[in-house]
mmCIF file of all heavy atoms in Angstrom:
data_model
loop_
_atom_site.group_PDB
_atom_site.id
_atom_site.type_symbol
_atom_site.label_atom_id
_atom_site.label_comp_id
_atom_site.label_asym_id
_atom_site.label_seq_id
_atom_site.Cartn_x
_atom_site.Cartn_y
_atom_site.Cartn_z
ATOM 1 N N ILE A 51 39.921 126.739 61.905
ATOM 2 C CA ILE A 51 39.911 127.379 60.518
ATOM 3 C C ILE A 51 40.016 126.208 59.561
ATOM 4 O O ILE A 51 40.987 125.451 59.643
ATOM 5 C CB ILE A 51 41.052 128.383 60.439
ATOM 6 C CG1 ILE A 51 40.896 129.528 61.405
ATOM 7 C CG2 ILE A 51 41.131 128.904 58.955
ATOM 8 C CD1 ILE A 51 42.016 130.420 61.429
ATOM 9 N N VAL A 52 39.082 126.143 58.653
ATOM 10 C CA VAL A 52 39.179 125.113 57.552
ATOM 11 C C VAL A 52 39.567 125.802 56.320
ATOM 12 O O VAL A 52 38.974 126.747 55.831
ATOM 13 C CB VAL A 52 37.836 124.395 57.396
ATOM 14 C CG1 VAL A 52 37.903 123.353 56.292
ATOM 15 C CG2 VAL A 52 37.355 123.762 58.723
ATOM 16 N N VAL A 53 40.656 125.275 55.700
ATOM 17 C CA VAL A 53 41.211 125.837 54.441
ATOM 18 C C VAL A 53 40.948 124.715 53.402
ATOM 19 O O VAL A 53 41.164 123.503 53.597
ATOM 20 C CB VAL A 53 42.705 126.096 54.589
ATOM 21 C CG1 VAL A 53 43.270 126.582 53.275
ATOM 22 C CG2 VAL A 53 43.001 127.067 55.668
ATOM 23 N N ASN A 54 40.465 125.188 52.235
ATOM 24 C CA ASN A 54 40.230 124.193 51.153
ATOM 25 C C ASN A 54 41.566 123.548 50.719
ATOM 26 O O ASN A 54 42.448 124.267 50.269
ATOM 27 C CB ASN A 54 39.576 124.962 49.982
ATOM 28 C CG ASN A 54 39.116 124.038 48.918
ATOM 29 O OD1 ASN A 54 39.519 122.870 48.826
ATOM 30 N ND2 ASN A 54 38.155 124.520 48.072
ATOM 31 N N ARG A 55 41.639 122.272 50.823
ATOM 32 C CA ARG A 55 42.992 121.629 50.567
ATOM 33 C C ARG A 55 43.265 121.611 49.121
ATOM 34 O O ARG A 55 44.414 121.291 48.732
ATOM 35 C CB ARG A 55 42.970 120.238 51.128
ATOM 36 C CG ARG A 55 42.173 119.253 50.421
ATOM 37 C CD ARG A 55 42.397 117.913 51.034
ATOM 38 N NE ARG A 55 41.354 116.922 50.484
ATOM 39 C CZ ARG A 55 41.339 115.710 50.880
ATOM 40 N NH1 ARG A 55 42.116 115.231 51.788
ATOM 41 N NH2 ARG A 55 40.402 114.944 50.364
ATOM 42 N N PHE A 56 42.367 121.882 48.242
ATOM 43 C CA PHE A 56 42.536 121.840 46.804
ATOM 44 C C PHE A 56 43.059 123.280 46.294
ATOM 45 O O PHE A 56 43.372 123.386 45.110
ATOM 46 C CB PHE A 56 41.332 121.485 46.052
ATOM 47 C CG PHE A 56 40.898 120.039 46.347
ATOM 48 C CD1 PHE A 56 39.703 119.708 46.993
ATOM 49 C CD2 PHE A 56 41.765 118.911 46.027
ATOM 50 C CE1 PHE A 56 39.337 118.461 47.284
ATOM 51 C CE2 PHE A 56 41.393 117.640 46.319
ATOM 52 C CZ PHE A 56 40.208 117.400 47.026
ATOM 53 N N SER A 57 43.021 124.172 47.199
ATOM 54 C CA SER A 57 43.585 125.572 46.865
ATOM 55 C C SER A 57 45.048 125.465 46.660
ATOM 56 O O SER A 57 45.690 124.757 47.390
ATOM 57 C CB SER A 57 43.155 126.579 47.935
ATOM 58 O OG SER A 57 41.759 126.691 48.061
ATOM 59 N N ASN A 58 45.607 126.380 45.821
ATOM 60 C CA ASN A 58 47.044 126.464 45.668
ATOM 61 C C ASN A 58 47.622 127.234 46.822
ATOM 62 O O ASN A 58 46.913 127.861 47.565
ATOM 63 C CB ASN A 58 47.431 126.980 44.290
ATOM 64 C CG ASN A 58 46.958 128.395 44.033
ATOM 65 O OD1 ASN A 58 46.804 129.121 44.944
ATOM 66 N ND2 ASN A 58 46.763 128.790 42.819
ATOM 67 N N LEU A 59 48.895 127.306 46.924
ATOM 68 C CA LEU A 59 49.554 127.943 48.019
ATOM 69 C C LEU A 59 49.239 129.433 48.060
ATOM 70 O O LEU A 59 49.023 129.932 49.217
ATOM 71 C CB LEU A 59 51.109 127.790 47.735
ATOM 72 C CG LEU A 59 52.028 128.328 48.852
ATOM 73 C CD1 LEU A 59 51.776 127.630 50.170
ATOM 74 C CD2 LEU A 59 53.494 128.192 48.453
ATOM 75 N N GLU A 60 49.163 130.168 46.988
ATOM 76 C CA GLU A 60 48.829 131.554 46.985
ATOM 77 C C GLU A 60 47.397 131.814 47.594
ATOM 78 O O GLU A 60 47.248 132.677 48.419
ATOM 79 C CB GLU A 60 48.858 132.113 45.582
ATOM 80 C CG GLU A 60 48.563 133.606 45.536
ATOM 81 C CD GLU A 60 48.703 134.154 44.076
ATOM 82 O OE1 GLU A 60 49.184 133.443 43.187
ATOM 83 O OE2 GLU A 60 48.228 135.258 43.917
ATOM 84 N N VAL A 61 46.477 131.009 47.196
ATOM 85 C CA VAL A 61 45.110 131.198 47.734
ATOM 86 C C VAL A 61 45.045 130.830 49.161
ATOM 87 O O VAL A 61 44.355 131.520 49.935
ATOM 88 C CB VAL A 61 44.150 130.275 46.937
ATOM 89 C CG1 VAL A 61 42.725 130.292 47.504
ATOM 90 C CG2 VAL A 61 44.069 130.814 45.535
ATOM 91 N N ARG A 62 45.732 129.814 49.619
ATOM 92 C CA ARG A 62 45.776 129.436 51.021
ATOM 93 C C ARG A 62 46.328 130.574 51.915
ATOM 94 O O ARG A 62 45.735 130.957 52.906
ATOM 95 C CB ARG A 62 46.658 128.247 51.285
ATOM 96 C CG ARG A 62 46.103 126.980 50.765
ATOM 97 C CD ARG A 62 47.093 125.798 50.978
ATOM 98 N NE ARG A 62 46.422 124.562 50.451
ATOM 99 C CZ ARG A 62 46.990 123.344 50.667
ATOM 100 N NH1 ARG A 62 47.997 123.198 51.416
ATOM 101 N NH2 ARG A 62 46.406 122.308 50.128
ATOM 102 N N ILE A 63 47.422 131.217 51.408
ATOM 103 C CA ILE A 63 48.058 132.325 52.165
ATOM 104 C C ILE A 63 47.147 133.506 52.119
ATOM 105 O O ILE A 63 46.920 134.146 53.205
ATOM 106 C CB ILE A 63 49.456 132.677 51.630
ATOM 107 C CG1 ILE A 63 50.445 131.557 51.925
ATOM 108 C CG2 ILE A 63 49.939 133.982 52.188
ATOM 109 C CD1 ILE A 63 51.821 131.607 51.347
ATOM 110 N N GLN A 64 46.574 133.870 51.017
ATOM 111 C CA GLN A 64 45.707 135.025 50.874
ATOM 112 C C GLN A 64 44.487 134.830 51.796
ATOM 113 O O GLN A 64 43.951 135.745 52.450
ATOM 114 C CB GLN A 64 45.290 135.252 49.484
ATOM 115 C CG GLN A 64 46.305 135.821 48.625
ATOM 116 C CD GLN A 64 45.919 136.000 47.164
ATOM 117 O OE1 GLN A 64 45.011 135.420 46.713
ATOM 118 N NE2 GLN A 64 46.716 136.798 46.448
ATOM 119 N N SER A 65 43.955 133.637 51.794
ATOM 120 C CA SER A 65 42.684 133.326 52.643
ATOM 121 C C SER A 65 43.021 133.529 54.150
ATOM 122 O O SER A 65 42.262 134.113 54.878
ATOM 123 C CB SER A 65 42.238 131.972 52.362
ATOM 124 O OG SER A 65 41.855 131.770 51.029
ATOM 125 N N LEU A 66 44.175 133.015 54.573
ATOM 126 C CA LEU A 66 44.525 133.130 55.983
ATOM 127 C C LEU A 66 44.805 134.557 56.347
ATOM 128 O O LEU A 66 44.425 135.002 57.417
ATOM 129 C CB LEU A 66 45.743 132.241 56.326
ATOM 130 C CG LEU A 66 45.457 130.712 56.347
ATOM 131 C CD1 LEU A 66 46.775 129.920 56.504
ATOM 132 C CD2 LEU A 66 44.416 130.328 57.321
ATOM 133 N N ILE A 67 45.447 135.348 55.465
ATOM 134 C CA ILE A 67 45.673 136.697 55.686
ATOM 135 C C ILE A 67 44.398 137.460 55.829
ATOM 136 O O ILE A 67 44.221 138.275 56.761
ATOM 137 C CB ILE A 67 46.591 137.371 54.569
ATOM 138 C CG1 ILE A 67 48.079 136.841 54.719
ATOM 139 C CG2 ILE A 67 46.533 138.847 54.618
ATOM 140 C CD1 ILE A 67 48.974 137.285 53.562
ATOM 141 N N GLN A 68 43.407 137.177 54.997
ATOM 142 C CA GLN A 68 42.153 137.909 55.057
ATOM 143 C C GLN A 68 41.431 137.578 56.358
ATOM 144 O O GLN A 68 40.823 138.471 56.991
ATOM 145 C CB GLN A 68 41.262 137.479 53.814
ATOM 146 C CG GLN A 68 40.058 138.377 53.709
ATOM 147 C CD GLN A 68 40.378 139.887 53.567
ATOM 148 O OE1 GLN A 68 41.262 140.283 52.782
ATOM 149 N NE2 GLN A 68 39.731 140.669 54.390
ATOM 150 N N LEU A 69 41.448 136.329 56.774
ATOM 151 C CA LEU A 69 40.816 136.003 58.032
ATOM 152 C C LEU A 69 41.543 136.679 59.210
ATOM 153 O O LEU A 69 40.847 137.190 60.067
ATOM 154 C CB LEU A 69 40.886 134.511 58.275
ATOM 155 C CG LEU A 69 39.929 133.603 57.525
ATOM 156 C CD1 LEU A 69 40.267 132.158 57.786
ATOM 157 C CD2 LEU A 69 38.501 133.934 57.830
ATOM 158 N N LEU A 70 42.815 136.807 59.172
ATOM 159 C CA LEU A 70 43.589 137.482 60.207
ATOM 160 C C LEU A 70 43.202 138.938 60.254
ATOM 161 O O LEU A 70 43.066 139.540 61.341
ATOM 162 C CB LEU A 70 45.109 137.313 59.982
ATOM 163 C CG LEU A 70 46.018 137.723 61.048
ATOM 164 C CD1 LEU A 70 45.748 136.973 62.347
ATOM 165 C CD2 LEU A 70 47.446 137.555 60.619
ATOM 166 N N ARG A 71 43.076 139.544 59.119
ATOM 167 C CA ARG A 71 42.681 140.964 59.091
ATOM 168 C C ARG A 71 41.300 141.235 59.634
ATOM 169 O O ARG A 71 40.978 142.251 60.191
ATOM 170 C CB ARG A 71 42.738 141.445 57.589
ATOM 171 C CG ARG A 71 44.100 141.642 57.128
ATOM 172 C CD ARG A 71 44.177 142.094 55.674
ATOM 173 N NE ARG A 71 45.495 142.259 55.238
ATOM 174 C CZ ARG A 71 45.863 142.288 53.912
ATOM 175 N NH1 ARG A 71 44.969 142.142 52.969
ATOM 176 N NH2 ARG A 71 47.046 142.470 53.590
ATOM 177 N N ASP A 72 40.385 140.223 59.461
ATOM 178 C CA ASP A 72 39.037 140.359 59.878
ATOM 179 C C ASP A 72 38.751 140.101 61.300
ATOM 180 O O ASP A 72 37.713 140.465 61.837
ATOM 181 C CB ASP A 72 38.068 139.546 58.981
ATOM 182 C CG ASP A 72 38.054 139.986 57.558
ATOM 183 O OD1 ASP A 72 38.433 141.116 57.219
ATOM 184 O OD2 ASP A 72 37.581 139.145 56.698
ATOM 185 N N MET A 73 39.676 139.482 61.940
ATOM 186 C CA MET A 73 39.440 139.082 63.377
ATOM 187 C C MET A 73 40.178 140.005 64.346
ATOM 188 O O MET A 73 40.996 140.638 63.987
ATOM 189 C CB MET A 73 39.848 137.589 63.580
ATOM 190 C CG MET A 73 41.244 137.297 63.405
ATOM 191 S SD MET A 73 41.787 135.561 63.794
ATOM 192 C CE MET A 73 40.567 134.638 63.028
ATOM 193 N N GLU A 74 39.654 139.971 65.576
ATOM 194 C CA GLU A 74 40.312 140.743 66.621
ATOM 195 C C GLU A 74 41.422 139.891 67.223
ATOM 196 O O GLU A 74 41.165 138.679 67.561
ATOM 197 C CB GLU A 74 39.272 141.121 67.671
ATOM 198 C CG GLU A 74 38.103 141.889 67.137
ATOM 199 C CD GLU A 74 37.723 143.040 67.932
ATOM 200 O OE1 GLU A 74 38.339 143.199 69.050
ATOM 201 O OE2 GLU A 74 36.727 143.692 67.584
ATOM 202 N N VAL A 75 42.605 140.472 67.333
ATOM 203 C CA VAL A 75 43.736 139.730 67.764
ATOM 204 C C VAL A 75 44.247 140.272 69.130
ATOM 205 O O VAL A 75 44.416 141.482 69.208
ATOM 206 C CB VAL A 75 44.849 139.787 66.750
ATOM 207 C CG1 VAL A 75 46.122 139.103 67.282
ATOM 208 C CG2 VAL A 75 44.419 139.131 65.432
ATOM 209 N N ASP A 76 44.517 139.407 70.062
ATOM 210 C CA ASP A 76 45.042 139.794 71.395
ATOM 211 C C ASP A 76 46.533 139.762 71.219
ATOM 212 O O ASP A 76 47.201 138.649 71.283
ATOM 213 C CB ASP A 76 44.604 138.847 72.486
ATOM 214 C CG ASP A 76 45.066 139.261 73.810
ATOM 215 O OD1 ASP A 76 45.722 140.383 74.006
ATOM 216 O OD2 ASP A 76 44.872 138.494 74.782
ATOM 217 N N ILE A 77 47.210 140.920 71.021
ATOM 218 C CA ILE A 77 48.614 140.979 70.783
ATOM 219 C C ILE A 77 49.426 140.513 71.969
ATOM 220 O O ILE A 77 50.580 140.060 71.783
ATOM 221 C CB ILE A 77 48.998 142.412 70.356
ATOM 222 C CG1 ILE A 77 48.303 142.699 69.020
ATOM 223 C CG2 ILE A 77 50.435 142.661 70.254
ATOM 224 C CD1 ILE A 77 48.730 144.015 68.445
ATOM 225 N N THR A 78 48.839 140.550 73.178
ATOM 226 C CA THR A 78 49.590 140.122 74.335
ATOM 227 C C THR A 78 49.978 138.634 74.300
ATOM 228 O O THR A 78 50.952 138.183 74.998
ATOM 229 C CB THR A 78 48.816 140.452 75.626
ATOM 230 O OG1 THR A 78 47.532 139.654 75.575
ATOM 231 C CG2 THR A 78 48.554 141.913 75.815
ATOM 232 N N LEU A 79 49.304 137.865 73.456
ATOM 233 C CA LEU A 79 49.623 136.456 73.330
ATOM 234 C C LEU A 79 50.814 136.156 72.414
ATOM 235 O O LEU A 79 51.335 135.075 72.411
ATOM 236 C CB LEU A 79 48.503 135.706 72.754
ATOM 237 C CG LEU A 79 47.152 135.749 73.546
ATOM 238 C CD1 LEU A 79 46.031 135.075 72.782
ATOM 239 C CD2 LEU A 79 47.346 134.973 74.906
ATOM 240 N N LEU A 80 51.270 137.190 71.673
ATOM 241 C CA LEU A 80 52.277 137.031 70.676
ATOM 242 C C LEU A 80 53.614 137.457 71.103
ATOM 243 O O LEU A 80 53.796 138.358 71.908
ATOM 244 C CB LEU A 80 51.938 137.868 69.426
ATOM 245 C CG LEU A 80 50.507 137.610 68.804
ATOM 246 C CD1 LEU A 80 50.271 138.563 67.628
ATOM 247 C CD2 LEU A 80 50.348 136.120 68.347
ATOM 248 N N ASP A 81 54.651 136.805 70.532
ATOM 249 C CA ASP A 81 56.047 137.190 70.774
ATOM 250 C C ASP A 81 56.423 138.277 69.782
ATOM 251 O O ASP A 81 55.574 138.592 68.931
ATOM 252 C CB ASP A 81 57.005 136.059 70.788
ATOM 253 C CG ASP A 81 57.077 135.367 69.408
ATOM 254 O OD1 ASP A 81 56.732 135.951 68.376
ATOM 255 O OD2 ASP A 81 57.499 134.167 69.358
ATOM 256 N N GLU A 82 57.633 138.801 69.908
ATOM 257 C CA GLU A 82 57.992 139.936 69.053
ATOM 258 C C GLU A 82 57.992 139.714 67.562
ATOM 259 O O GLU A 82 57.512 140.449 66.788
ATOM 260 C CB GLU A 82 59.391 140.417 69.380
ATOM 261 C CG GLU A 82 59.506 141.048 70.774
ATOM 262 C CD GLU A 82 60.933 141.407 71.134
ATOM 263 O OE1 GLU A 82 61.769 141.683 70.217
ATOM 264 O OE2 GLU A 82 61.246 141.513 72.371
ATOM 265 N N LYS A 83 58.414 138.493 67.153
ATOM 266 C CA LYS A 83 58.420 138.141 65.708
ATOM 267 C C LYS A 83 56.974 138.009 65.166
ATOM 268 O O LYS A 83 56.688 138.440 64.015
ATOM 269 C CB LYS A 83 59.186 136.803 65.453
ATOM 270 C CG LYS A 83 60.676 136.927 65.642
ATOM 271 C CD LYS A 83 61.282 135.638 65.231
ATOM 272 C CE LYS A 83 62.831 135.783 65.358
ATOM 273 N NZ LYS A 83 63.528 134.536 64.969
ATOM 274 N N LYS A 84 56.089 137.438 65.982
ATOM 275 C CA LYS A 84 54.693 137.330 65.548
ATOM 276 C C LYS A 84 54.001 138.651 65.439
ATOM 277 O O LYS A 84 53.154 138.928 64.609
ATOM 278 C CB LYS A 84 53.949 136.295 66.380
ATOM 279 C CG LYS A 84 54.448 134.887 66.135
ATOM 280 C CD LYS A 84 53.724 133.894 67.019
ATOM 281 C CE LYS A 84 54.262 132.550 66.719
ATOM 282 N NZ LYS A 84 54.973 131.897 67.810
ATOM 283 N N ILE A 85 54.316 139.532 66.447
ATOM 284 C CA ILE A 85 53.828 140.889 66.472
ATOM 285 C C ILE A 85 54.190 141.621 65.169
ATOM 286 O O ILE A 85 53.418 142.312 64.545
ATOM 287 C CB ILE A 85 54.180 141.635 67.676
ATOM 288 C CG1 ILE A 85 53.422 141.101 68.940
ATOM 289 C CG2 ILE A 85 53.823 143.160 67.538
ATOM 290 C CD1 ILE A 85 53.848 141.619 70.294
ATOM 291 N N ALA A 86 55.493 141.484 64.757
ATOM 292 C CA ALA A 86 55.990 142.142 63.630
ATOM 293 C C ALA A 86 55.272 141.612 62.349
ATOM 294 O O ALA A 86 54.892 142.384 61.453
ATOM 295 C CB ALA A 86 57.508 141.939 63.505
ATOM 296 N N LEU A 87 55.078 140.306 62.261
ATOM 297 C CA LEU A 87 54.335 139.738 61.167
ATOM 298 C C LEU A 87 52.868 140.251 61.108
ATOM 299 O O LEU A 87 52.408 140.642 60.012
ATOM 300 C CB LEU A 87 54.282 138.154 61.273
ATOM 301 C CG LEU A 87 53.557 137.396 60.161
ATOM 302 C CD1 LEU A 87 54.071 137.689 58.836
ATOM 303 C CD2 LEU A 87 53.472 135.951 60.532
ATOM 304 N N TYR A 88 52.281 140.261 62.244
ATOM 305 C CA TYR A 88 50.898 140.729 62.347
ATOM 306 C C TYR A 88 50.722 142.210 61.928
ATOM 307 O O TYR A 88 49.887 142.563 61.133
ATOM 308 C CB TYR A 88 50.296 140.537 63.735
ATOM 309 C CG TYR A 88 48.914 141.059 63.910
ATOM 310 C CD1 TYR A 88 47.824 140.501 63.281
ATOM 311 C CD2 TYR A 88 48.710 142.260 64.695
ATOM 312 C CE1 TYR A 88 46.523 141.001 63.455
ATOM 313 C CE2 TYR A 88 47.402 142.770 64.839
ATOM 314 C CZ TYR A 88 46.304 142.171 64.211
ATOM 315 O OH TYR A 88 45.131 142.700 64.405
ATOM 316 N N LYS A 89 51.671 142.997 62.400
ATOM 317 C CA LYS A 89 51.632 144.429 62.035
ATOM 318 C C LYS A 89 51.917 144.614 60.590
ATOM 319 O O LYS A 89 51.332 145.564 59.909
ATOM 320 C CB LYS A 89 52.606 145.203 62.996
ATOM 321 C CG LYS A 89 52.160 145.405 64.342
ATOM 322 C CD LYS A 89 53.180 146.207 65.121
ATOM 323 C CE LYS A 89 52.628 146.475 66.578
ATOM 324 N NZ LYS A 89 53.511 147.237 67.363
ATOM 325 N N MET A 90 52.785 143.829 60.006
ATOM 326 C CA MET A 90 53.061 143.965 58.527
ATOM 327 C C MET A 90 51.823 143.646 57.780
ATOM 328 O O MET A 90 51.458 144.319 56.812
ATOM 329 C CB MET A 90 54.225 142.962 58.155
ATOM 330 C CG MET A 90 54.539 143.125 56.682
ATOM 331 S SD MET A 90 55.791 141.915 56.117
ATOM 332 C CE MET A 90 54.748 140.418 56.166
ATOM 333 N N ILE A 91 51.111 142.573 58.189
ATOM 334 C CA ILE A 91 49.883 142.182 57.462
ATOM 335 C C ILE A 91 48.778 143.302 57.600
ATOM 336 O O ILE A 91 48.083 143.665 56.634
ATOM 337 C CB ILE A 91 49.387 140.858 58.015
ATOM 338 C CG1 ILE A 91 50.329 139.762 57.478
ATOM 339 C CG2 ILE A 91 47.981 140.589 57.529
ATOM 340 C CD1 ILE A 91 50.097 138.405 58.145
ATOM 341 N N LYS A 92 48.637 143.863 58.772
ATOM 342 C CA LYS A 92 47.662 144.909 58.948
ATOM 343 C C LYS A 92 48.019 146.202 58.232
ATOM 344 O O LYS A 92 47.177 146.873 57.727
ATOM 345 C CB LYS A 92 47.451 145.220 60.488
ATOM 346 C CG LYS A 92 46.834 144.142 61.323
ATOM 347 C CD LYS A 92 45.447 143.852 60.815
ATOM 348 C CE LYS A 92 44.431 144.810 61.449
ATOM 349 N NZ LYS A 92 43.031 144.413 61.105
ATOM 350 N N LYS A 93 49.327 146.467 58.185
ATOM 351 C CA LYS A 93 49.855 147.666 57.469
ATOM 352 C C LYS A 93 49.552 147.546 55.995
ATOM 353 O O LYS A 93 49.126 148.500 55.364
ATOM 354 C CB LYS A 93 51.325 147.773 57.664
ATOM 355 C CG LYS A 93 51.874 149.074 57.112
ATOM 356 C CD LYS A 93 53.413 148.985 57.229
ATOM 357 C CE LYS A 93 53.922 150.326 57.828
ATOM 358 N NZ LYS A 93 55.383 150.358 57.947
ATOM 359 N N GLU A 94 49.641 146.343 55.392
ATOM 360 C CA GLU A 94 49.296 146.097 53.978
ATOM 361 C C GLU A 94 47.823 146.380 53.751
ATOM 362 O O GLU A 94 47.474 146.904 52.741
ATOM 363 C CB GLU A 94 49.616 144.689 53.572
ATOM 364 C CG GLU A 94 51.138 144.437 53.448
ATOM 365 C CD GLU A 94 51.413 142.951 53.111
ATOM 366 O OE1 GLU A 94 50.473 142.218 52.860
ATOM 367 O OE2 GLU A 94 52.607 142.596 53.099
ATOM 368 N N GLU A 95 47.001 146.062 54.722
ATOM 369 C CA GLU A 95 45.561 146.312 54.587
ATOM 370 C C GLU A 95 45.272 147.757 54.499
ATOM 371 O O GLU A 95 44.504 148.254 53.671
ATOM 372 C CB GLU A 95 44.821 145.669 55.778
ATOM 373 C CG GLU A 95 43.356 145.997 55.783
ATOM 374 C CD GLU A 95 42.672 145.446 57.003
ATOM 375 O OE1 GLU A 95 43.211 145.580 58.074
ATOM 376 O OE2 GLU A 95 41.517 145.037 56.849
#
Side-chain angles (χ1 to χ4, degrees):
I51 297 171
V52 179
V53 179
N54 190 338
R55 72 174 171 184
F56 297 115
S57 297
N58 63 27
L59 184 62
E60 181 178 349
V61 172
R62 290 178 181 191
I63 291 173
Q64 288 177 341
S65 299
L66 291 175
I67 286 173
Q68 190 59 46
L69 284 174
L70 189 61
R71 287 178 178 160
D72 293 342
M73 64 177 44
E74 303 223 2
V75 173
D76 182 6
I77 293 184
T78 61
L79 299 173
L80 306 176
D81 62 22
E82 290 178 24
K83 287 184 178 182
K84 291 182 179 111
I85 290 173
L87 175 63
Y88 176 70
K89 286 184 177 180
M90 183 188 70
I91 289 169
K92 291 300 273 189
K93 186 184 225 182
E94 288 177 7
E95 177 185 36

